[in-house]
Amino acid sequence: SVKPSTRLMLYLDSGDEELRKLQRKRHCSAPLKVEWREVIIPVLNRALSRLYLKEEEKCDGQVEENSGVFSAVGSANPSATHSVSRESGELTSYYTRHQQTATADVDVMPRALVVLYYQVLESILYNETARLKSASHPRLVTSAVFHKALLSCSCVCLMKATGIGTGASGNTADLSAVLRAMECTPYEFMKVSESFVKGLQLGSGSSSTANSHHYKIGRVAAFPVALRRHLRGMEENILDSLLWSNPSSKRMDEGNSPRIICIKQVIRDVMSKKGEWPPEVLRPNLQDEAEDEKDYLASTSATTGAPTKRSSSAKAHHHPEYAFLTYILRKILAMVSHRISTLCQYLSIPSQYPVSRQIWIAFRYLLRHNIELLYDRHIDQLLLCTIYGVSKIMKLLPELSFSKIIEVYTTLNKERLGNKA
């Protein structure tokens, strides 16, 4: 049977118990409003119901049909339904017709998804327990957003492992379909993907005998390199474009607190706070950014009245998403730096021209002052334009045409672009 292990149940119930203790301290006799069964079970059941769902979405006035993530597998027996028990968390499959001839695939895919989800959830809670010296994690356990993102990561890896949605050109489309099915945003996916990978690293506590008994699968603690690489590729797709696109209008708020559904919202909120923008990772601290540094210090002094000397260690009350926004920007800068280096090498730019350095400076300036240019665009659009603009300003010889840049870019990314190349 597929159900949570004894240790996972302990972690989940510990969170509920801590919430009850908090209620008793506040002399509240009302029943516990949020417990893990009220969050995890509905999320799992809704996700399972949407895996084979074919839905129609209106896009610019046109109606287009989107196949369910596992619809190709499930078409053999559309009457199969899967449900997770509220009491035990056990997965059960029901067949209203064709029960005797039901194909194994219909049952295996949802089971595999729930198995992987439980496995990683336990690993993450195990790691958190070791880090915090406490088995109770109510905020994590009762976050529907967290569980939707965890299911999305599990589904992406399962699709790669089983060959569903193969082809490099379909990676972004496959990921978008998963996020729609799981009702997860790219921003939320990025928040959990790193923990997902760490949760399946060798040495995590999820490889216990209890797990193998409940899940009837062997050790899964060592995350396969191919799946780790694939998940990193999905993160890159998100950073490239999905993160900057408009979120679906179907996204709902969780409880009484609105969800952070896109990075635009976070950037807007951070910019509205004096002294918060740009984040430390984007601040003009390179030698070639001296003029911008002077302007930054002058503006900071004028708006805050603080001394012009900036201390990176100064403690401030940052926006709640500030740290994660910095993490996202740091990953983008690392990705763009690598692409600049590779493109300049294949464009055969003479070494006496410090072009790559100036492209790097220009792109950092763009993120610092005009990050809204990324909205609803692919990050490489701005990168290629930056390369062309810098080469023109520096009067690079031989002259570098935009068509040449596109040609080299297409050649380098033929596998990633697929049919778009």
Side-chain angles (χ1 to χ4, degrees):
S1 63
V2 176
K3 61 181 180 181
S5 70
T6 304
R7 181 163 60 183
L8 178 53
M9 290 293 287
L10 174 65
Y11 291 146
L12 298 176
D13 291 334
S14 294
D16 287 353
E17 184 58 33
E18 183 171 324
L19 291 175
R20 290 190 187 94
K21 286 180 181 178
L22 186 61
Q23 274 193 324
R24 287 195 290 269
K25 282 184 179 179
R26 294 177 178 176
H27 305 289
C28 180
S29 59
L32 193 63
K33 288 185 178 180
V34 180
E35 59 178 22
W36 72 265
R37 288 180 176 85
E38 301 297 334
V39 176
I40 295 179
I41 303 304
V43 167
L44 277 172
N45 283 328
R46 181 159 175 80
L48 290 171
S49 69
R50 290 173 61 84
L51 286 175
Y52 299 97
L53 181 66
K54 291 187 178 181
E55 54 183 12
E56 291 183 348
E57 286 189 353
K58 290 185 177 180
C59 181
D60 299 328
Q62 296 182 346
V63 177
E64 46 183 46
E65 184 178 296
N66 293 304
S67 297
V69 177
F70 293 160
S71 58
V73 179
S75 59
N77 189 9
S79 60
T81 58
H82 311 275
S83 177
V84 177
S85 165
R86 184 185 181 281
E87 294 303 319
S88 64
E90 183 174 357
L91 176 68
T92 307
S93 300
Y94 303 94
Y95 302 95
T96 56
R97 59 187 176 90
H98 310 308
Q99 185 170 0
Q100 301 300 323
T101 59
T103 60
D105 284 342
V106 176
D107 191 42
V108 166
M109 297 306 293
R111 290 171 66 88
L113 177 63
V114 177
V115 163
L116 184 56
Y117 163 78
Y118 281 152
Q119 184 85 16
V120 183
L121 177 59
E122 182 179 336
S123 292
I124 291 175
L125 294 179
Y126 175 89
N127 292 338
E128 284 297 291
T129 298
R131 185 175 68 89
L132 301 174
K133 310 301 181 186
S134 170
S136 176
H137 313 286
R139 292 185 63 183
L140 205 59
V141 167
T142 58
S143 170
V145 169
F146 167 75
H147 294 292
K148 289 177 181 180
L150 196 61
L151 276 167
S152 299
C153 293
S154 301
C155 193
V156 164
C157 289
L158 185 59
M159 289 174 69
K160 175 65 176 177
T162 57
I164 298 176
T166 55
S169 62
N171 280 344
T172 303
D174 296 337
L175 180 57
S176 297
V178 169
L179 295 178
R180 278 198 306 272
M182 301 299 170
E183 297 176 307
C184 174
T185 69
Y187 188 82
E188 293 160 354
F189 183 95
M190 287 295 298
K191 272 193 160 186
V192 174
S193 59
E194 189 71 25
S195 296
F196 180 90
V197 173
K198 288 181 179 178
L200 285 178
Q201 294 293 345
L202 185 64
S204 291
S206 62
S207 58
S208 65
T209 307
N211 279 345
S212 299
H213 171 71
H214 281 295
Y215 302 136
K216 298 187 187 301
I217 56 175
R219 290 174 60 93
V220 192
F223 198 27
V225 174
L227 290 184
R228 192 184 313 156
R229 192 181 299 120
H230 179 68
L231 199 59
R232 295 301 186 206
M234 293 297 99
E235 289 181 352
E236 194 169 307
N237 287 340
I238 288 177
L239 294 174
D240 276 337
S241 59
L242 290 179
L243 188 66
W244 309 101
S245 61
N246 283 321
S248 169
S249 59
K250 292 183 178 182
R251 308 276 193 244
M252 302 293 291
D253 290 351
E254 296 295 336
N256 296 321
S257 58
R259 288 169 61 179
I260 301 294
I261 59 176
C262 67
I263 198 170
K264 300 179 191 178
Q265 178 185 343
V266 177
I267 291 173
R268 184 172 61 248
D269 292 346
V270 170
M271 283 182 169
S272 67
K273 256 188 118 176
K274 288 183 180 179
E276 288 278 273
W277 187 269
E280 187 71 30
V281 70
L282 285 182
R283 286 176 186 170
N285 49 22
L286 301 180
Q287 185 176 358
D288 294 321
E289 296 174 322
E291 288 300 318
D292 210 22
E293 169 78 352
K294 290 177 184 177
D295 293 339
Y296 169 77
L297 292 175
S299 65
T300 301
S301 178
T303 56
T304 65
T308 55
K309 188 174 181 181
R310 173 165 46 87
S311 173
S312 60
S313 61
K315 297 205 174 179
H317 297 290
H318 290 306
H319 185 278
E321 297 294 317
Y322 181 89
F324 185 67
L325 176 61
T326 300
Y327 167 79
I328 289 287
L329 292 172
R330 188 174 287 111
K331 287 183 79 75
I332 288 173
L333 288 172
M335 181 178 73
V336 169
S337 175
H338 174 72
R339 291 180 184 179
I340 290 173
S341 176
T342 304
L343 281 166
C344 287
Q345 178 185 346
Y346 281 85
L347 284 167
S348 302
I349 296 175
S351 58
Q352 63 265 31
Y353 292 100
V355 176
S356 61
R357 172 79 174 174
Q358 292 306 312
I359 293 169
W360 175 241
I361 298 298
F363 197 86
R364 280 173 53 85
Y365 183 93
L366 181 151
L367 292 180
R368 193 159 52 245
H369 295 283
N370 302 101
I371 196 168
E372 68 277 0
L373 291 175
L374 282 175
Y375 298 170
D376 303 314
R377 291 188 174 96
H378 194 290
I379 203 167
D380 285 351
Q381 289 178 277
L382 274 73
L383 175 57
L384 298 180
C385 292
T386 304
I387 293 174
Y388 179 72
V390 169
S391 66
K392 278 292 185 184
I393 291 172
M394 296 186 69
K395 297 180 180 179
L396 184 64
L397 293 175
E399 186 175 342
L400 189 60
S401 67
F402 197 73
S403 60
K404 175 66 174 176
I405 296 173
I406 295 295
E407 180 186 342
V408 170
Y409 173 81
T410 304
T411 302
L412 287 173
N413 296 278
K414 184 169 278 187
E415 183 179 349
R416 185 159 61 97
L417 294 172
N419 296 330
K420 298 177 184 178

